[in-house]
Amino acid sequence: MYNTLILVLIGLTLITCIGILYFLININIRVKDATKTLSHQYNLIVKIQSVLKNKSATNAVAENAEMIYQDLLQNLIPIMAAIDVMPRNTSEHPLWRALGGIMDEYAKNPFALEKLRRCIKLDSEVARSIDNYMNRADSFLHHLTTTDPDGILSATFTDGLLGQSLTFFAQAKQLASQSSE
């Protein structure tokens, strides 16, 4: 009987140890899950914070867009006068009408590139206006792509008239620097 009591106590102790071990393993698994969840939530908060900072910067650009547009337009006016291009006759912003007029003229008449090349070569004001426009437009696009790298806004400007005009002006500048006329 004494041996039976010892065996029962050992059995109870063994069952208790197994229960405690099971309980500790279960707690450990839950702590790991909670740590993983908190880590994931922290990463989400960091991403949200980054997006909000980018949106804030993009909103600041949008609020200052009119000043940026006017600055770009001021550089386009002498260029348009030199190559004799009229803005589009639409209800768009004057900058987009001016850029549209230039790009429409180039689409209708590829000689517009040659005309612009000659103006850059022969008229220092046109060359300076091209440089100013390209620098300001490029910095504007760079700011947009850094603050909104995968956004619709930056893609719209890069793929739209602003990006097309930069390509057109860069081609004309390159041709002007290569030619001997």
Side-chain angles (χ1 to χ4, degrees):
M1 173 133 155
Y2 184 68
N3 287 338
T4 310
L5 186 61
I6 291 179
L7 286 176
V8 169
L9 286 176
I10 290 175
L12 285 175
T13 306
L14 188 60
I15 290 173
T16 304
C17 287
I18 291 173
I20 290 173
L21 184 62
Y22 173 77
F23 181 72
L24 289 176
I25 290 172
N26 206 4
I27 287 177
N28 190 23
I29 289 171
R30 288 181 188 211
V31 167
K32 284 182 183 179
D33 286 345
T35 303
K36 193 166 141 183
T37 301
L38 287 175
S39 174
H40 180 70
Q41 286 178 345
Y42 175 76
N43 290 336
L44 284 176
I45 289 171
V46 168
K47 285 181 184 178
I48 289 170
Q49 183 181 21
S50 174
V51 166
L52 289 176
K53 282 182 185 177
N54 290 342
K55 292 294 181 194
S56 171
T58 301
N59 288 342
V61 168
E63 290 171 5
N64 296 321
E66 186 58 34
M67 290 181 359
I68 295 167
Y69 291 174
Q70 289 301 323
D71 184 42
L72 292 171
L73 183 60
Q74 290 304 314
N75 290 299
L76 281 178
I77 292 171
I79 298 166
M80 292 177 66
I83 60 174
D84 196 30
V85 170
M86 296 300 293
R88 283 180 178 165
N89 190 13
T90 62
S91 62
E92 299 172 295
H93 187 278
L95 174 65
W96 306 124
R97 290 185 1 217
L99 287 173
I102 292 170
M103 298 314 296
D104 290 348
E105 181 65 25
Y106 178 59
K108 286 189 299 190
N109 180 10
F111 185 69
L113 181 64
E114 174 61 21
K115 202 173 186 182
L116 183 58
R117 180 201 66 82
R118 287 182 187 164
C119 289
I120 291 170
K121 193 79 170 167
L122 301 174
D123 189 346
S124 63
E125 183 178 338
V126 171
R128 187 175 48 252
S129 293
I130 292 274
D131 287 337
N132 287 340
Y133 174 82
M134 289 181 69
N135 288 335
R136 288 180 171 98
D138 192 46
S139 66
F140 176 61
L141 288 176
H142 177 70
H143 180 73
L144 279 177
T145 53
T146 56
T147 57
D148 191 27
D150 296 326
I152 295 172
L153 183 64
S154 60
T156 301
F157 280 99
T158 304
D159 298 339
L161 287 172
L162 199 61
Q164 292 172 14
S165 67
L166 281 173
T167 302
F168 176 66
F169 292 151
Q171 287 174 338
K173 267 185 69 168
Q174 183 179 12
L175 290 172
S177 67
Q178 292 174 352
S179 70
S180 61
E181 183 183 297

